Amino acid sequence: MILFKHRKDLSSYLQNSSITPSSIGFVPTMGALHNGHISLIQAARLENTLVVASIFVNPTQFTELIDFEKYPSTIEADILKLEKAGCDILFLPSIADIYPNGSSPSQQYDLGQLDSILEAEFRKGHFQGVCQIVHLLLEIIAPGKLYLGQKDFQQCLVIKKMISLVGIDTSVIICPTQREPDGLAMSSRNVRLSHSERQKAAYLFKTLSFIKENVQQKDLENLKQIAQNSLTDQGFKVDYVAISNAQTLETIQNWNGKSTLVALVAANINHVRLIDNLVLN
Ligand code: PAF
């Protein structure tokens, strides 16, 4: 695996190589890699001549400075995992290399309601920051395919929308959420859970599964309320439980039984905020 720390070096390497953009697969990450990230590298490995990953903890997508400062960093272990999974290039830039003129988002993306609901309501400016960094990385790497994890369901829709707004020729491949044996979605934040919090965290997936099992029979508002109450009873501070159209994330009140639905949840166990989702039909 070749490591690049400066965007101009990576760009000139890619421009001078004989590899066409359509055969480059790209996996953007913020590091602290787990099997969820590795599954994206493996998917990219199967479909591309060149697999590029990036590790960059992007300051512009954090609402709380403390969250940014506390973001886990395991660079050496990450490098070993990427090499083992068959990644060809790792882009590991500094903040100064990515944002030489300071890090306030310069461009605003018109993401419509995706920028005001669910995650966007609780993390103001988050998706503008995500678009800013992913747009920049796509310009540097120009991959034919971009690999994202379904765990960040709203982020996947936001990035697809940004790509169509700016007219970049990259397809988005959404890969399934990787789960621990008890159902907990793999996430870099899981390492911040204490033993008892970790046990409790599995309840999120149980709640989503309960929604999935009951979506055909129950009034959806009532179903969400039951799910929310049971999470609260387990000691979670719930930000939202939503049942939404899987293409637009609009809230579904009266389901026609046909459109694809997704249940999404965000809840805090003490100071750790977890999100998860499940496609229902
Ligand atoms: O999902 C993430 O890890 C980040 O939001 C991403 C896509 C790497 C952009 O910083």
Side-chain angles (χ1 to χ4, degrees):
M1 183 170 77
I2 313 175
L3 176 71
F4 288 93
K5 290 195 167 180
H6 300 285
R7 61 163 136 164
K8 66 172 186 355
D9 297 338
L10 175 57
S11 298
S12 59
Y13 175 87
L14 292 172
Q15 276 157 17
N16 295 329
S17 79
S18 54
I19 293 173
T20 54
S22 62
S23 51
I24 301 178
F26 173 48
V27 180
T29 81
M30 298 208 296
L33 303 183
H34 49 70
N35 283 345
H37 299 110
I38 298 308
S39 72
L40 303 180
I41 301 285
Q42 288 164 342
R45 181 70 287 161
L46 288 176
E47 297 175 339
N48 300 277
T49 312
L50 192 79
V51 177
V52 182
S54 63
I55 296 181
F56 179 67
V57 183
N58 174 37
T60 70
Q61 69 187 76
F62 285 83
T63 334
E64 307 286 339
L65 181 65
I66 185 90
D67 232 12
F68 170 64
E69 287 171 347
K70 274 194 174 167
Y71 203 82
S73 171
T74 54
I75 291 294
E76 277 164 28
D78 292 351
I79 290 175
L80 291 176
K81 287 179 189 172
L82 289 171
E83 274 181 332
K84 196 165 166 227
C87 181
D88 298 304
I89 289 180
L90 169 61
F91 182 39
L92 183 65
S94 64
I95 294 181
D97 190 71
I98 289 291
Y99 299 123
N101 305 317
S103 60
S104 344
S106 44
Q107 184 171 353
Q108 290 293 310
Y109 301 84
D110 181 4
L111 303 171
Q113 69 150 7
L114 285 176
D115 209 9
S116 60
I117 57 171
L118 304 171
E119 282 306 284
E121 189 185 334
F122 288 87
R123 302 175 75 188
K124 299 274 181 246
H126 169 66
F127 287 128
Q128 292 296 327
V130 169
C131 287
Q132 180 188 22
I133 184 62
V134 177
H135 184 184
L136 190 67
L137 292 168
L138 292 178
E139 283 182 339
I140 298 167
I141 297 159
K145 296 193 183 83
L146 171 70
Y147 294 80
L148 300 172
Q150 191 199 312
K151 164 154 180 298
D152 295 301
F153 198 92
Q154 189 171 0
Q155 170 169 278
C156 294
L157 296 188
V158 161
I159 292 176
K160 276 186 173 179
K161 171 110 188 181
M162 177 275 288
I163 287 176
S164 79
L165 286 173
V166 298
I168 286 179
D169 191 13
T170 298
S171 326
V172 177
I173 316 290
I174 300 175
C175 300
T177 304
Q178 299 298 305
R179 298 185 180 280
E180 302 290 354
D182 63 1
L184 176 67
M186 290 186 185
S187 162
S188 306
R189 288 166 188 242
N190 294 353
V191 295
R192 290 171 57 190
L193 297 166
S194 68
H195 180 70
S196 63
E197 290 166 347
R198 169 65 191 81
Q199 311 275 93
K200 197 180 279 182
Y203 208 78
L204 275 189
F205 182 64
K206 287 202 182 79
T207 305
L208 289 169
S209 305
F210 167 80
I211 295 177
K212 183 168 180 160
E213 278 152 27
N214 290 282
V215 71
Q216 302 286 349
Q217 302 119 41
K218 297 239 168 93
D219 163 342
L220 297 187
E221 279 308 308
N222 186 34
L223 187 55
K224 280 191 288 191
Q225 200 55 59
I226 297 171
Q228 175 147 352
N229 292 347
S230 73
L231 284 169
T232 307
D233 291 347
Q234 288 291 321
F236 288 85
K237 185 180 148 298
V238 181
D239 284 347
Y240 58 80
V241 174
I243 300 179
S244 307
N245 177 303
Q247 264 78 49
T248 62
L249 291 191
E250 264 169 84
T251 303
I252 298 292
Q253 258 131 14
N254 300 307
W255 182 39
N256 61 10
K258 290 184 195 135
S259 54
T260 307
L261 298 186
V262 59
L264 305 111
V265 62
N268 305 269
I269 310 179
N270 300 328
H271 296 296
V272 186
R273 186 171 186 276
L274 299 173
I275 60 170
D276 199 357
N277 65 81
L278 201 58
V279 173
L280 301 180
N281 57 311

